[in-house]
Amino acid sequence: MNFKKLIFIIYTLSLLNGQAISTPQTIKPLIELAPLDENSQVTFIGIEGKTQKGGAVDYKTAKLYSITKDNNLFEHKEKFNWSLDEQSASYFSGAKKGDITGEGVPEIVFFISNPATGTQIYSYTINPGFVFTKLHEPYQIRSNQKQP
């Protein structure tokens, strides 16, 4: 199996996970992580965005969140906060967690889509203490759409 097919499969599977939760802004959980502390019930990376005309959501920001045992949602911007340019057509379309290097350290692969240019793939290593370091340079899957 070549690398492009693997990325396509990971991308497709990532679309099946996650659903929006009820909050003031739309947050779509992407990846569940180990609890941040003993007070956290669940910790996850989620993407948030604004609802556009027609009901579509434009996901421009990825953050680390935790839900406490008292069912309170907290943002942890100091640990992970990644925003895309509000003026660009790019948006977060998914993510997948796994050990892609085989070293026993979890990694995250983010998919950022753009209708005009295609999909960019970013990979990060999750180090102890929720420290995220870039694993590879971004990989671009070009769109087959013709520009006017």
Side-chain angles (χ1 to χ4, degrees), residues 6-47:
L6 175 64
I7 295 301
F8 178 77
I9 291 170
I10 292 172
Y11 176 73
T12 303
L13 291 176
S14 70
L15 294 176
L16 300 176
N17 295 336
Q19 294 180 5
I21 58 174
S22 179
T23 59
Q25 66 273 22
T26 303
I27 300 173
K28 179 180 178 181
L30 290 181
I31 301 167
E32 185 175 346
L33 303 171
L36 188 62
D37 54 29
E38 64 277 348
N39 193 34
S40 296
Q41 183 176 9
V42 65
T43 300
F44 64 94
I45 291 180
I47 51 178

Side-chain angles (χ1 to χ4, degrees), residues 49-130:
K50 299 174 186 168
T51 304
Q52 304 297 318
K53 292 180 182 176
V57 180
D58 195 15
Y59 294 107
K60 295 283 191 178
T61 305
K63 296 180 187 174
L64 182 68
Y65 295 93
S66 66
I67 298 175
T68 64
K69 293 179 180 176
D70 299 331
N71 290 328
N72 295 318
L73 179 69
F74 286 101
E75 295 179 359
H76 299 282
K77 294 182 200 176
E78 71 284 353
K79 299 222 180 255
F80 187 81
N81 186 14
W82 183 10
S83 294
L84 302 175
D85 182 14
E86 289 291 329
Q87 303 304 317
S88 91
S90 297
Y91 60 93
F92 286 99
S93 57
K96 187 71 176 169
K97 179 183 152 198
D99 181 12
I100 62 174
T101 60
E103 297 174 353
V105 179
E107 289 96 18
I108 298 177
V109 177
F110 288 97
F111 303 98
I112 299 174
S113 297
N114 184 312
T117 61
T119 301
Q120 288 184 318
I121 300 168
Y122 290 82
S123 55
Y124 289 86
T125 300
I126 309 170
N127 297 309
F130 292 96

